[in-house]
């Protein structure tokens, strides 16, 4: 067991949370990160789905990596990912139908989520299955916390709720003249919020600052 | 005809792939450093979309939808293969991108060199698969509507990437706070552009 969670493997798990975050540093998987973050619940479901698909596609591709001819590897990767996404999609429809409706096409778009292809190409094709599995979970979580962070701000300021709970109403701020900020629900604010997260992250760790 | 014009304006400006749905964001941010390369990628995306979306529409109509196999035999009326749509769509896109790559390489090596690495990358561009999935949702009545739809979406994407590239070429000389440099300011820029595009939402078509 200690072998499975060696220091190197733990690093694979924690690195994507900050220094190698898929969204803010590697610039992967932005599309869905922005589109599903109006409410926290869909964002959480999306983060979970991506983590599961990333972990298992990494595992499968890494297991098969020696048998995949280099020329057709993209197609093989796409087929593996698409199959996993179909399973996730059917599960979502069966158990959380309302969330599945809200996510609409974005569940299908997990297939072309760059995090998956990026990690498959950069990591799973060259590493052992268990490391790849951990790498998938780590990257999924790195993606997930950005999603949940952005959706928390957007839901709180845009709709005055947290996970559907009407917190602003309970605090009674509406009676003293507080109004929800409608722009928060609109697409542009998602982009600006991610921009701000990147700003904060880079001012804290100077290593990430881009050269001119 | 009027229908087509409305659909075209709707897809280019109101439901712009980038500013309303954030599709194809990865290559949008990665490739928009210079106007020249972004024109190449924009053209390639339009090209691939106009081919793949109608093909996927025909597959959806005659193969995947519930009751769509009746042209084969009336006994198949209850077969519903729509759960396979993701895998079929992505396979079609990957195959057509490969095909387009070979055709372009054969007939126009200069265009092929100009597009370079972008052409194969389009297979995993969310905008193309997104186009196919939105087509599935919107339930178009005939194939010509999907041609207009895909051309409009592709053009909207191309306009977005070219204008962002033009802005980024200019801000190279401005004095941006160090932590915002590069990716951070690009996100905020796209946000501001998306706000401008929100102005089109008032259109009633």
């Amino acid at each position: 067991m200690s072998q499975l969670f060696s220091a190197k493997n733990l690093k694979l798990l924690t690195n994507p949370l900050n220094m190698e975050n898929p969204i803010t540093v590697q610039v992967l998987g932005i599309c869905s990160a922005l589109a599903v973050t109006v409410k926290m619940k869909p964002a959480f479901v999306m983060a979970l789905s991506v983590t599961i698909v990333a972990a298992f596609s990494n595992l499968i591709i890494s297991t098969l990596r020696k048998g995949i001819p280099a020329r057709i590897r993209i197609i093989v990767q796409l087929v593996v990912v698409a199959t996993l996404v179909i399973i996730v999609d059917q599960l979502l429809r069966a158990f959380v139908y309302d969330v599945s409706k809200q996510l609409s096409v974005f569940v299908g778009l997990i297939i072309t989520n760059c995090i998956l292809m990026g990690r498959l190409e950069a990591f799973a094709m060259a590493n052992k299955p268990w490391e790849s599995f951990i790498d998938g979970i780590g990257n999924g979580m790195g993606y997930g916390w950005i999603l949940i962070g952005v959706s928390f701000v957007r839901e709180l300021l845009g709709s005055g709720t947290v996970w559907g709970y009407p917190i602003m109403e309970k605090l009674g701020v509406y009676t003293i003249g507080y109004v929800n900020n409608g722009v928060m629900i609109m697409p542009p604010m998602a982009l600006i919020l991610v921009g701000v997260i990147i700003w904060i992250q880079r001012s804290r760790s100077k290593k990430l600052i881009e050269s001119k | 005809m009027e229908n087509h014009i409305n659909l075209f304006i709707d897809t280019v400006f109101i439901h712009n792939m980038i500013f309303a749905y954030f599709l194809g964001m990865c290559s949008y941010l990665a490739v928009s450093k210079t106007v020249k390369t972004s024109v190449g990628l924009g053209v390639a995306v339009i090209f691939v979309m106009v081919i793949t979306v109608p093909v996927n529409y025909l597959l959806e109509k005659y193969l995947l939808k519930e009751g769509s196999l009746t042209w084969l035999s009336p006994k198949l009326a209850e077969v519903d293969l729509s759960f396979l749509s993701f895998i079929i769509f992505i396979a079609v896109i990957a195959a057509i991108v490969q095909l387009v790559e070979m055709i372009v390489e054969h007939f126009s090596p200069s265009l092929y060199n100009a597009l370079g690495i972008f052409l194969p990358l389009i297979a995993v561009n969310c905008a193309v698969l997104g186009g196919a999935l939105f087509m599935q949702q919107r339930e178009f009545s005939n194939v010509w509507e999907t041609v207009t739809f895909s051309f409009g979406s592709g053009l909207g994407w191309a306009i977005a990437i070219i204008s962002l590239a033009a802005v980024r070429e200019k801000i190279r000389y401005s004095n941006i706070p160090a932590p915002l440099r590069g990716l951070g300011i690009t996100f905020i820029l796209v946000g501001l552009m998306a706000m401008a595009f929100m102005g089109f939402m008032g259109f009633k078509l």
Side-chain angles (χ1 to χ4, degrees), chain B residues 58-69:
Chain B
L58 292 176
L59 278 172
E60 157 94 6
K61 193 170 177 186
Y62 294 109
L63 195 64
L64 297 171
K65 240 196 300 195
E66 192 175 1
S68 56
L69 284 168

Side-chain angles (χ1 to χ4, degrees), chain A residues 2-15:
Chain A
S2 60
Q3 276 267 291
L4 290 179
F5 290 100
S6 61
K8 198 175 128 253
N9 287 352
L10 275 182
K11 240 185 147 55
L12 286 176
L13 198 61
T14 52
N15 254 359

